[in-house]
């Protein structure tokens, strides 16, 4: 038979702790607590429990802060809609700027980044040839901002970033009509796109050009753009597009467009050729 281990008896000490009180008839009354001896030390059991509880609460709140910070950090990677996976590796460092225009445009984006880091609000429009690197620079900007304030003390100060390619968004919306996929509802998208701190709207107008464009889905996207630009007037939005300006005016509400162009920060690619194909072996 095994010996049953009995809990060790408590050793009381003659001292009392006089820190604990209760209220009776509006009066604060001290309730003495008999101290005990633990491991050769004299401690008040109630103080001991309170200190442990406080330590645990501190630990839990730090844990909750870390989780919240991580959640905000992950918005870019979890919620973004990208046209192809290669863009996920885009950084300022791997944007090859050779031509004068590319060098200037990259420089302009780095200046925007510095201004955003200082807490400034600004919108910018990147316009030009398909494949000139507009999306690359925008994604690079988001990654940079997302990594920048990783160690902020207050999790609410951690900025959230989101990249939304409008053609992909359009496809998601169309398939949600067919499959009853409830994630991509209008309310969900408006809230998601409105609430992030830094938003990129990639390839505005491209979603309306597809041959199989569905009028309902196209109207849906336009309503989202309208609501989002309205809700983001104190937040920073970067928009890329290939279309000529007047084509956009035909498609989108003038108010929504003017909100996106507020500040008139234009990054224009006229000369840069399609960078996506320059490394191909022919
Ligand atoms: Zn005590």
């Amino acid at each position: 038979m095994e010996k049953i281990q009995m809990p060790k008896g408590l050793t009381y000490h003659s001292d009392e702790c006089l820190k604990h009180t209760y209220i009776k008839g509006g009066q604060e009354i001290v309730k003495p607590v008999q101290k005990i001896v633990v491991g050769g030390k004299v401690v008040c059991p109630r103080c001991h429990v309170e200190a442990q509880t406080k330590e645990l609460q501190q630990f839990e709140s730090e844990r909750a802060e870390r989780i919240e910070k991580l959640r905000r950090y992950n918005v870019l990677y979890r919620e973004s809609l990208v046209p192809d996976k290669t863009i996920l590796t885009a950084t300022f460092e791997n944007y090859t700027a050779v031509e004068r225009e590319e060098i200037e445009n990259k420089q302009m984006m780095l200046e925007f980044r510095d201004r955003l880091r200082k807490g400034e609000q600004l919108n910018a429009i990147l316009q030009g040839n398909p494949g000139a690197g507009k999306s690359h620079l925008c994604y690079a900007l988001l990654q940079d901002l997302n990594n920048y304030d990783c160690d902020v003390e207050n999790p609410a100060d951690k900025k959230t970033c989101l990249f939304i390619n409008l053609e992909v968004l359009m496809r998601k919306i169309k398939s949600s009509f067919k499959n009853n996929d409830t994630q991509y509802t209008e309310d969900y998208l408006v809230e998601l796109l409105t609430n992030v701190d830094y938003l990129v709207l990639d390839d505005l107008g491209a979603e309306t050009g597809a041959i199989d464009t569905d009028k309902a889905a196209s109207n849906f996207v336009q309503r989202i753009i309208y609501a989002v630009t309205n809700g983001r007037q104190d937040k920073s939005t970067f928009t890329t597009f290939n279309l000529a300006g007047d084509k956009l005016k035909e498609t989108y509400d003038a108010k929504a467009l003017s909100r996106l162009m507020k500040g008139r920060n234009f990054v224009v690619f006229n000369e840069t050729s399609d960078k996506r194909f320059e490394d191909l072996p022919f």
Side-chain angles (χ1 to χ4, degrees), residues 49-67 153 155:
V49 168
E50 283 173 10
Q52 275 190 331
T53 307
K54 208 173 154 196
E55 205 175 294
L56 191 68
Q57 279 168 347
Q58 174 88 11
F59 178 80
E60 280 301 322
S61 103
E62 279 168 14
R63 189 167 161 269
E65 278 177 21
R66 279 201 306 278
I67 290 171
E153 293 273 313

Side-chain angles (χ1 to χ4, degrees), residues 17 36 43 54 98 100 108 130 134 157 172 174 222 228 256 269:
C17 177
I36 54 172
V43 295
K54 208 173 154 196
V98 181
R100 185 188 54 85
M108 225 195 278
K134 303 185 295 295
D157 290 342
K172 295 272 184 195
K174 273 162 74 176
Q222 287 173 38
V228 166
F269 295 82

Side-chain angles (χ1 to χ4, degrees), residues 17 19-20 33 44 46-47:
C17 177
K19 287 182 194 164
H20 310 281
V33 176
C44 160
R46 206 160 144 191
C47 282

Side-chain angles (χ1 to χ4, degrees), residues 12-274:
Y12 284 99
H13 193 266
S14 56
D15 281 359
E16 287 179 331
C17 177
L18 302 175
K19 287 182 194 164
H20 310 281
T21 59
Y22 62 97
I23 306 288
K24 193 180 175 188
Q27 292 261 318
E28 194 176 20
I29 297 159
V30 173
K31 185 182 188 296
V33 176
Q34 193 75 47
K35 291 190 180 177
I36 54 172
V37 182
V38 181
K41 275 204 230 160
V42 179
V43 295
C44 160
R46 206 160 144 191
C47 282
H48 183 69
V49 168
E50 283 173 10
Q52 275 190 331
T53 307
K54 208 173 154 196
E55 205 175 294
L56 191 68
Q57 279 168 347
Q58 174 88 11
F59 178 80
E60 280 301 322
S61 103
E62 279 168 14
R63 189 167 161 269
E65 278 177 21
R66 279 201 306 278
I67 290 171
E68 175 59 10
K69 229 186 290 180
L70 193 62
R71 187 194 69 77
R72 297 174 77 87
Y73 175 80
N74 280 333
V75 168
L76 177 64
Y77 306 107
R78 208 183 48 232
E79 309 279 6
S80 285
L81 298 175
V82 296
D84 63 278
K85 294 263 183 277
T86 56
I87 197 150
L88 301 175
T89 61
T91 61
F92 282 120
E93 290 72 29
N94 64 25
Y95 177 80
T96 48
V98 181
E99 313 269 334
R100 185 188 54 85
E101 185 186 69
E102 297 169 293
I103 296 166
E104 284 174 6
N105 287 345
K106 180 181 174 181
Q107 193 50 42
M108 225 195 278
M109 291 296 280
L110 286 168
E111 281 164 24
F112 291 152
R113 178 202 61 188
D114 294 343
R115 286 164 62 189
L116 292 168
R117 278 182 177 184
K118 284 181 193 144
E120 209 181 300
Q121 183 272 331
L122 69 94
N123 288 354
I125 295 281
L126 291 85
Q127 190 194 2
N129 307 329
K134 303 185 295 295
S135 309
H136 182 122
L137 283 175
C138 281
Y139 199 84
L141 174 74
L142 292 183
Q143 296 228 69
D144 194 298
L145 292 165
N146 204 36
N147 288 319
Y148 176 59
D149 54 359
C150 262
D151 299 320
V152 286
E153 293 273 313
N154 184 356
D157 290 342
K158 171 80 196 127
K159 303 282 190 251
T160 48
C161 303
L162 182 68
F163 184 100
I164 295 292
N165 177 276
L166 288 158
E167 220 175 337
V168 179
L169 176 67
M170 177 87 135
R171 280 206 301 274
K172 295 272 184 195
I173 290 166
K174 273 162 74 176
S175 81
S176 79
F177 288 167
K178 284 179 212 140
N179 306 328
N180 265 337
D181 173 358
T182 50
Q183 191 194 354
Y184 289 97
T185 64
E186 196 166 333
D187 286 349
Y188 169 80
L189 288 165
V190 168
E191 199 182 315
L192 175 68
L193 273 66
T194 302
N195 290 340
V196 289
D197 295 296
Y198 304 125
L199 174 68
V200 169
L201 292 173
D202 183 51
D203 230 351
L204 186 69
E207 81 285 357
T208 62
I211 298 159
D212 63 339
T213 297
D214 164 330
K215 193 78 189 141
S218 170
N219 289 342
F220 191 107
V221 173
Q222 287 173 38
R223 282 202 306 276
I224 287 168
I225 299 290
Y226 185 84
V228 166
T229 56
N230 187 37
R232 293 188 60 78
Q233 298 189 54
D234 58 347
K235 294 197 176 109
S236 299
T237 310
F238 283 67
T239 310
T240 82
F241 62 85
N242 302 325
L243 295 175
D246 37 332
K247 183 87 177 120
L248 277 186
K249 281 182 208 152
E250 286 168 22
T251 312
Y252 290 100
D253 184 89
K255 233 184 247 171
L257 288 178
S258 90
R259 285 179 198 134
L260 290 174
M261 294 182 188
K262 197 184 83 185
R264 307 189 71 76
N265 295 309
F266 296 111
V267 184
V268 181
F269 295 82
N270 284 325
E271 295 154 18
T272 311
S273 55
D274 196 330

